[in-house]
Amino acid sequence: MMMTEISREYAEALYAIACEENAPKEYLEALELVSAVFRENPEYMEFLLFPGIHLSERVKALEEAFSNAVPQYVTMFMQLLCEKGRIKLFDSCCAEYRKLVDASENVSAARVTSAVKLTEAETEGIRRKLEKTMKKTIILECVVDPAIMGGIVIETESRIIDGSLRRSLHEVKEVIGR
């Protein structure tokens, strides 16, 4: 089973519990809080992965660190990941959980790559067009990559629209090469 599939299964299980508790967004906020703690303190993840420390101590450390900061089931979720040797999948599980929350709220993420920084008007125009096309609220991430030379590349959950100059030049090259 691929790691993404495993992460998705864990995320779906936690999401089902969160829905029973009427708290999917609260759980998402808790997961993001823990994820930020792990990013800011990479040694904590190393501790959780270290086989030289007994598993019961690592699981107990999660309880002590997070039981007052996040919902009980989120703490139990992290403990389960630790017990099963899958705590390294925590960020992937968080990403999958976010997708579930976004889907339930009809929200989708899109990434727009351009050769130069887009203006706010251009960004807003792209967002509106995507929202109209996809019939969803769009969270837009804009990235600058001079390697595309010009134009834009839009990546959504279901497709990639490559309107870059680099791609156009590549297509011209292929036509000339025939």
Side-chain angles (χ1 to χ4, degrees):
M1 188 179 289
M2 291 179 49
M3 294 299 189
T4 305
E5 291 174 31
I6 294 168
S7 298
R8 188 177 309 117
E9 286 184 11
Y10 277 100
E12 287 172 352
L14 182 63
Y15 183 75
I17 293 168
C19 289
E20 287 177 13
E21 299 283 314
N22 291 320
K25 287 196 98 164
E26 180 184 343
Y27 279 38
L28 178 60
E29 290 169 6
L31 290 169
E32 289 174 343
L33 171 74
V34 173
S35 186
V37 169
F38 287 164
R39 267 193 315 278
E40 293 167 11
N41 304 287
E43 65 279 358
Y44 197 85
M45 184 60 75
E46 291 172 20
F47 165 78
L48 294 173
L49 291 167
F50 189 66
I53 298 172
H54 197 274
L55 179 60
S56 63
E57 291 180 47
R58 292 180 275 157
V59 170
K60 184 179 177 187
L62 284 167
E63 173 77 25
E64 291 171 358
F66 296 105
S67 65
N68 293 326
V70 300
Q72 175 187 9
Y73 286 115
V74 173
T75 301
M76 292 169 67
F77 174 74
M78 292 184 298
Q79 290 174 316
L80 178 65
L81 288 175
C82 192
E83 289 169 357
K84 298 294 183 183
R86 296 206 162 129
I87 193 69
K88 64 183 169 280
L89 296 178
F90 182 78
D91 282 336
S92 179
C93 291
C94 291
E96 293 298 324
Y97 185 92
R98 171 171 276 297
K99 288 178 187 176
L100 293 167
V101 171
D102 286 349
S104 74
E105 296 179 345
N106 205 29
V107 173
S108 184
R111 180 181 179 134
V112 176
T113 304
S114 59
V116 296
K117 187 173 182 350
L118 298 175
T119 66
E120 285 205 29
E122 291 168 328
T123 302
E124 191 54 37
I126 292 168
R127 180 188 335 274
R128 272 185 297 201
K129 182 74 171 176
L130 286 172
E131 288 179 342
K132 184 177 179 184
T133 302
M134 297 176 71
K135 296 179 177 40
K136 292 184 175 188
T137 301
I138 300 296
I139 298 173
L140 208 55
E141 175 192 8
C142 295
V143 177
V144 175
D145 180 2
I148 71 167
M149 298 182 204
I152 60 173
V153 177
I154 301 173
E155 299 170 69
T156 66
E157 60 193 25
S158 58
R159 62 184 172 191
I160 297 175
I161 304 165
D162 190 343
S164 67
L165 180 57
R166 177 177 61 191
R167 176 169 172 163
S168 296
L169 290 173
H170 180 71
E171 288 174 356
V172 168
K173 181 180 175 184
E174 284 184 4
V175 169
I176 292 172
R178 291 185 195 165

